[in-house]
Amino acid sequence: MISWNEWTDGRIAKMLRAAWLPLLMGCVGLLPFYTRDTFIGDVGDARLNMYVLEHGYRAMHHHHSASFWDAPFFYPQKNVIAYSDHHLGNLPLYAVFRGLKLKREAAFQYWTLATLALTYLSGYLALRNLGAGHLAAALAAYVFAFGLPVHGQAGHPQLLPRYLLPWVFVCASRLAALGKTRDFAWVVALMLGQVYLGIYCGVLTAVPLAGYLLATFLLGERRVFLRHMTGSGGAMAARAAILLLAAVALLPIAIPYRDAARELGMRSWKEIATMLPRLNSWLYPLPESIAWSWMRDTGLFGFRNLPFPGEHQVFAGLTMLLSLLAWPFLRLPPRRLTLLANRAWWSLVFCFVLTLSVWDWTLWSLLFPLPGIGAVRAVARIALFMLFPMSMVLAATLDALIAWARGQFPDSLEGKAQAAGAGCLLALFVFVDNGVTGVIKTSFHTANLGVVRIKTVLKAIKPGRNYVFWVCQRDTEEPFYKVSLDAMLAAQDLGVATVNGYSGWSPPGYNLMPFPKEENPPYPFCQLKEWLDLKGVGEPTKLIVIDNNGQVAWNKPGRKECPLGQPIVFTAGHCEEYLGKGFSKMEKEGVWTNRQWAEVSFKMPEMPDRDFCLTLGINTLPLAKGKQNTLRLRVNGSEIGSRTVTDAEALVWTLKVPREAASRKNGIFEIEIGSDLVLPVRECLPQSKDPRSVGLFLKTLSVE
C-alpha cells in the first residue's frame, strides 16, 4: 500500500522533472522582450493597441458613458473602435494587471509578456497532446511563440494573442478522428474566441484551419470525415444549434464592423497586393537576426524589390525551413503525431499557394470579395498563424531526430550524458537560429512626453467640464501618428474627447493631418470647421485648439468691427475673422457651406439710426434639371427675405433691414443664410458626391 506522502512526493517529482525543461525554454524566450519601464513596440501601433485595451477596461468599469465602440477620438465620429482590432477577448487578462493597480503602460507591458507566455505554454501542451516528446515539444513551441516572425511583428501587439490557436488544431484533429459533438463545439467556440481576440486572429486562423481540414479530407477516409464533421440524426441538429448560437454570439462584433465597412468601403486591391507574400518573403530575415541578418545585404534574393519590406520579414529560421523541405522525403514511424504533421504540412502548402503573389498574380484575389477577407490588409502576417502547423511538422521531425540520436549512444550513464549534451546542442542551435540582438521597445517616459505636454497646456487653461480639444499639428520631425496618439492618450487620461485620431482607417472626409509650417492660422481653422460642418455639428462652445507649441485661441474675445458701408470680402486672409458658424474653408468662389443655415457675426462701431441695406454677393452651384432652390436671410433671428434661384448664379442680393433688428443685440449683427435644398452630408458621402454640389458660396457682405 502506497502512502499519501509517497504518492504525492513521487507525483510532484515527476511533474518537476517534466516541467523544468519547458519552463526554462519559456524563460529564455521571454528574456529579449522584458526590460524595466518599457513596453514592446513603438509610439505608433503599440500605443494604439494600448489605448484600445485601456478604453475597454474603462468601459468595463463604466468610467465613461459612451458606447464601447464610440471611443472619444476622431470627434464626433462614431464607431471608431471598429476601424481597427477591438481586443474584446484580451480585456480580461489586461484587467488583471490593471486590477493590481498597475498604470496603463505597465499593465500593457505585462499583458504583452503574459500573452507571449500563454502562447508558449499553450503551444507546448498542445504539441504534447498531439504526441510530441518533451524536448521536441518545447523547441517547437519556442519557435511558435518566440520565432523570428514573431519578433518581426512585435510592433503589432494585436497579432500576439495566439494561445487559442494550437487548441483549434487539437480539437479539429479529435473531431476528424472521433466525430464527437463535444469536439465540434470546442472548434466552434475556439474560433469564436479567436474572433473575440481580434479580427486578424480570426481571419488568419481560419485559412490554415481550412487547409488542415481539406488535407484531412483528401488524405483520409472521405466518407468517414464528412460523417464526423456533420454528424447524423440528433448530432446534426445539435451542431446546427451550436452554429446558430455562435452566430448570435458573433453579432456584437459583426454589426459594428459591418457598419464600418459600409461607411468606409473595402480596402483597395492595390494596397493589399503590396503586402501579399512573395517567394523571397519566406527567406527575408529580420535585421536584428543574430544568425541571418547578413542575408539582407546580399543581392541573391531580390529583397530590395519587396514593397513594404517590414511586412515581408517572415523567414522562420533554418531549423524550420529544413524540416519543411525535408518532410516529403522523410520515412518516419507511423505515429499519431506523424499523421497529423503530414496534414499540417499540406495545410502549409495550401496557405503558401493561396497567398503567394507571383508577378502580381495570386489566388488570394478570389477570396478578396468575401466578408472579412477584404479587411485584412497585411496578408503576409498569416505567417504568425502558420507557425503552429509549422511547429507540428518541426516537432515530428525533431522527435524522429532525437529518437535516432538516442539510438547512437550506449544505454549507460556515459551514454545518457552524451545524449543530454546532444540535446543541449540542438536546443542551442534553435535558440541561435531564432535569436535576435534586440526587440523594439519604448520607454514609459518617451511614450508619455507628448501626452504630458498636452495635459499641461489643457490644465493651465482650466476649461471646465465636457470640453473637446484638437491638437493642430504643424509639420515637424515627429510622425503625424505620434501627435495624434499623444492627443488620444491625453484625452483618455482627462476623460474628454479629441478631434485628433489614429487607427487602421480614417473617417470619410477627415482632413486634419499635419499642416505646413508656413501656413497661417486660418487654413487649419478652416479645415477644422470643414470637418465639424461635414459631420453636421456646430462648433462646441468649449472647443480648445492647441498646436505643437501651446494654446491657439479659437474664439477671439469680441467680434470684428465693420464700419458702415465697408464690404467684407471673404478671402483666405480674412476668413478666420468672419468665418462664422456653418461655413467651411475658402475656395475661389468664396467661403462655402453645405449646412441648412450658416451664420456670420460682426459688430457695427455705431448704431444705425434708420433702416439700412444689407448687400450680399453669393455664388450658387448648378442644380439638377427641373430643380429650383430658395435662399433665405435672417438678421438677429428674424427672416427678412427670400430669393429663388433655378441654376448656377453669381448674384448680388440687396435687402432692407429694419433698424429694430439691429437694436436687439446692441449693434451686433448675426446674419444667417439658409438654403432649402441643402442636404445633410451623410446623404452625399456614401455615393462619394462632392457636398459642395448642394451648397452655396458667400463672396462679399456689406451694410449701408
Side-chain angles (χ1 to χ4, degrees), residues 184-205:
F184 181 87
W186 272 113
V187 172
V188 173
L190 288 166
M191 283 302 301
L192 183 64
Q194 287 290 96
V195 177
Y196 266 85
L197 289 175
I199 296 300
Y200 264 89
C201 290
V203 174
L204 297 183
T205 297

Side-chain angles (χ1 to χ4, degrees), residues 598-600 602 614 616 633-635 669-673 701:
E599 175 190 316
V600 179
F602 60 92
L614 183 65
L616 300 91
L633 192 70
R634 294 176 186 162
V635 174
F669 292 96
E670 293 177 350
I671 300 172
E672 297 174 274
I673 305 167
L701 186 153

Side-chain angles (χ1 to χ4, degrees), residues 609-629:
D609 57 0
R610 54 179 170 76
D611 295 349
F612 58 92
C613 291
L614 183 65
T615 303
L616 300 91
I618 295 177
N619 292 353
T620 62
L621 293 179
L623 302 173
K625 188 175 182 180
K627 290 278 188 180
Q628 65 179 24
N629 193 8

Side-chain angles (χ1 to χ4, degrees), residues 456-526:
T456 301
V457 171
L458 291 173
K459 288 178 179 178
I461 300 170
K462 298 180 180 178
R465 301 179 62 187
N466 301 323
Y467 63 92
V468 178
F469 74 89
W470 174 50
V471 178
C472 172
Q473 182 186 358
R474 304 292 183 175
D475 270 343
T476 64
E477 294 181 356
E478 292 182 318
F480 81 93
Y481 56 80
K482 179 188 180 300
V483 177
S484 298
L485 284 162
D486 287 343
M488 289 167 59
L489 292 166
Q492 190 173 70
D493 288 342
L494 297 170
V496 298
T498 179
V499 181
N500 298 91
Y502 172 72
S503 190
W505 293 83
S506 293
Y510 186 82
N511 57 356
L512 300 176
M513 297 304 177
F515 298 95
K517 291 180 181 179
E518 62 273 10
E519 284 289 350
N520 55 9
Y523 180 71
F525 286 0
C526 293

Side-chain angles (χ1 to χ4, degrees), residues 20-21 24-25 28 135-136 138-140 142-143 319 398 401-402 419-435:
W20 76 268
L21 180 63
L24 176 62
M25 290 188 179
V28 171
L135 180 58
L139 291 175
Y142 180 92
V143 179
T319 311
L398 290 178
L401 178 62
I402 292 167
C424 290
L425 288 175
L426 178 62
L428 180 62
F429 180 81
V430 173
F431 293 157
V432 174
D433 187 25
N434 290 272

Side-chain angles (χ1 to χ4, degrees), residues 560-581:
K560 184 73 175 179
E561 291 190 350
C562 179
L564 286 170
Q566 175 183 327
I568 301 171
V569 181
F570 291 90
T571 64
H574 295 88
C575 66
E576 179 195 2
E577 299 168 352
Y578 298 109
L579 202 53
K581 294 181 179 180

Side-chain angles (χ1 to χ4, degrees), residues 18-91:
W20 76 268
L21 180 63
L23 287 176
L24 176 62
M25 290 188 179
C27 291
V28 171
L30 284 172
L31 277 177
F33 292 94
Y34 178 77
T35 51
R36 186 176 175 81
D37 296 332
T38 65
F39 59 80
I40 300 165
D42 57 13
V43 294
D45 283 1
R47 288 201 303 166
L48 172 61
N49 285 273
M50 179 199 302
Y51 176 94
V52 175
L53 283 165
E54 179 67 15
H55 171 74
Y57 172 76
R58 294 179 181 225
M60 288 170 59
H61 290 77
H62 307 289
H63 287 181
H64 53 74
S65 58
S67 160
F68 166 77
W69 298 97
D70 299 334
F73 63 93
F74 285 136
Y75 174 87
Q77 186 73 15
K78 303 295 185 183
N79 199 34
V80 290
I81 291 295
Y83 290 5
S84 186
D85 271 300
H86 50 78
H87 282 294
L88 281 171
N90 294 308
L91 291 181

